[in-house]
Amino acid sequence: MKHLLVLSILSVLCLAWACPASIIGNFEGDTDGWIMENATSSIAAFGATNGVNSLELVVPADWKSAMKKPIDSLDTELAQATAITADITMRNDNNQIPSWWMQFTLIINSDVTGWKDLGTVEPGVPWSPQTFSVSWDITPDVNAAFANGSDWAELMFITNTGSGSTIWIDNIQIVPEPATLSIFALGGLALIRRRRAD
């Protein structure tokens, strides 16, 4: 019984190690391939959640594409992904007051998906500096599209604010499918319970 428990734990740990999240933005010295569109950017220490730097974005008013990144080399990751996550920091001091709404939309545009809106998140505007972890779900149709490979693909980060704001973004990740890990863990636990019952 102890051997089964150890094997189950080792299986989960091995799979977790083999399927880490793909970081596509930690901004430790450059923009990590993100191309600025309507926003301006600089590398900053404030708002860093992965390493010592974040990307400071001055975003314009209303709906605007702030930045985009080519992702046609990430077909395997996107075929197995469940979400794309990011850490976004906002502050209302230091003359960087955002409007009372801030919305962030993520778009995948590619030859295999077309223009695919992953949704809009609205974390709220804090009274004091605060970091929000936001997430956009990757749907099974996107997984299936990238399973066959893409010729071109890009990720577009779109912001919406009434008057323009400064935000800090860091730790942008493609999160892999955890289902296989769960199946192994649950299978191991089921076997242990069955042995105990016998």
Side-chain angles (χ1 to χ4, degrees):
M1 184 169 63
K2 287 181 181 177
H3 294 300
L4 273 175
L5 178 60
V6 170
L7 283 173
S8 296
I9 292 169
L10 285 174
S11 296
V12 171
L13 290 174
C14 287
L15 283 167
W17 176 80
C19 304
S22 297
I23 298 174
I24 56 173
N26 71 346
F27 311 113
E28 288 304 296
D30 59 32
T31 62
D32 286 334
W34 287 88
I35 301 161
M36 299 306 114
E37 294 205 287
N38 294 292
T40 58
S41 70
S42 58
I43 303 299
F46 182 80
T49 59
N50 181 6
V52 297
N53 291 320
S54 70
L55 186 69
E56 180 179 286
L57 285 179
V58 180
V59 298
D62 303 319
W63 285 108
K64 291 288 192 307
S65 176
M67 60 184 191
K68 65 181 180 181
K69 179 182 176 75
I71 54 168
D72 45 13
S73 63
L74 298 172
D75 289 343
T76 302
E77 290 86 345
L78 290 164
Q80 300 169 357
T82 57
I84 295 176
T85 62
D87 297 330
I88 297 174
T89 302
M90 291 183 279
R91 62 191 299 179
N92 64 0
D93 56 348
N94 200 27
N95 294 318
Q96 290 158 325
I97 302 172
S99 62
W100 291 111
W101 72 89
M102 280 292 291
Q103 296 176 314
F104 306 102
T105 298
L106 202 63
I107 303 287
I108 288 180
N109 188 23
S110 74
D111 63 315
V112 294
T113 60
W115 182 273
K116 179 71 175 177
D117 187 333
L118 299 181
T120 298
V121 295
E122 189 172 354
V125 177
W127 283 103
S128 57
Q130 186 175 345
T131 300
F132 300 90
S133 291
V134 298
S135 179
W136 296 269
D137 291 336
I138 301 292
T139 53
D141 61 314
V142 172
N143 297 141
F146 280 102
N148 296 320
S150 65
D151 291 330
W152 63 270
E154 63 183 5
L155 213 56
M156 300 179 69
F157 181 70
I158 297 172
T159 60
N160 181 26
T161 175
S163 56
S165 298
T166 302
I167 64 169
W168 292 261
I169 187 165
D170 198 15
N171 199 29
I172 308 175
Q173 298 189 31
I174 299 175
V175 181
E177 168 63 56
T180 309
L181 303 182
S182 302
I183 289 167
F184 269 78
L186 291 172
L189 290 173
L191 283 171
I192 291 166
R193 281 190 149 190
R194 185 176 173 188
R195 291 258 177 157
R196 281 185 180 168
D198 294 345

